[in-house]
Amino acid sequence: MQTVLVTGGAGYVGSHCCLALAEAGFRPVVFDDLSNGHREHVQWGPLEVGDIRDAARLDAVFAAYAPVAVLHFAARIEVGESVKNPGAFFDTNVGGTITLIEAARRAGVKVVVFSSTCATFGDPVDLPMKETHPQAPLNPYGRSKLMVEQALADYDRYVGLKSAVMRYFNAAGADPQGRIGEWHEPETHAVPLAIQVALGQRPRFTIFGDDYDTRDGTAVRDYVHVLDLADAHVAALKRLLVGGSSETYNLGTGTGTTVRELVDGVGKVAGAPLPVEIASRRPGDAPVLVGDHAKARAELGWKPSRSLDEILSTAWRWHRGRLEQEP
């Protein structure tokens, strides 16, 4: 059984990737400072608590477990916070990643799968967005991820470190067995926000703009089930471990879902329509953001296999179950 170090493996996407790794026969070792992750989500291998900016701690973990690769999810992710405090994002997302890569190199690890984002693109020029789409980030979060992508390209070119850059759009859904799910504090993502309204934890769901040039006037976003994303990471890892080249993959559905369709879908699984208010468009929000997955399909044999109904039903079950377990 090969060991894989999963930084940020106690977080949302990272924990689901640990599940997928275990099912694929790998041993995931989670490295997480638990600032955004949750100890309860580490269920498929050991947890090592630490900060990716701590070189000595990383060296000790690499020496203890001898992983064959790193799946790197640990990062600051809130776009709004990145605008208020850009230095913290560059410190963790860029500086921390370089510290991690150098520790991996000292340990002889030559394979990294990196969790990136469509936020590296900025405003859409062509849709659906391909890997070759121009990259002009609109905020420090997106820029920090782009800087890591550029660094990985240089690590490949000059020292032979192989990497897969996984750019995804909107991760959503949960483990169908209800063991792990989407849990942010504070919550800012659309699916859990809508579910919180359905559960009575929020008074209403706010739609920012209903006058876009889309099929129902609301913005279109590309929701991919988190386990589909996890499958893509495992496929990319396997490809690199057998000598594959460094590559970048956009992980989207190519079609997308309007905000109104999302809200109606949550109401359907919850059994009652959601109270909704319409607000003005938010500055910087694009009418449509959807990703192309043709390259991932061709090279990894990957495509999204779980529907929007599965995304919403699995997310609903997890959030409702968590609420029922609260004292």
Side-chain angles (χ1 to χ4, degrees), residues 139-208:
N139 49 67
Y141 165 65
R143 189 168 304 281
S144 72
K145 291 287 192 173
L146 175 57
M147 291 169 72
V148 173
E149 290 190 13
Q150 293 168 335
L152 286 170
D154 279 346
Y155 272 106
D156 176 32
R157 183 177 300 114
Y158 299 114
V159 299
L161 180 78
K162 297 303 178 184
S163 61
V165 170
M166 316 301 282
R167 294 191 197 121
Y168 34 90
F169 287 66
N170 294 75
D175 164 37
Q177 296 185 36
R179 293 165 290 185
I180 52 176
E182 188 168 10
W183 180 1
H184 305 110
E185 294 178 356
E187 188 54 72
T188 60
H189 295 188
V191 171
L193 287 176
I195 290 174
Q196 288 176 2
V197 173
L199 290 171
Q201 297 172 299
R202 294 176 182 269
R204 65 190 62 84
F205 185 89
T206 302
I207 296 177
F208 294 98

Side-chain angles (χ1 to χ4, degrees), residues 31 36 38 92 106 114 118 128 130 166 170 183 232 243 246 251 262 324:
F31 187 88
N36 292 305
H38 307 281
T92 297
R106 286 193 295 274
F114 174 56
C118 67
K130 300 179 184 296
M166 316 301 282
N170 294 75
W183 180 1
S246 294
L251 305 177
L262 182 73
E324 291 171 348

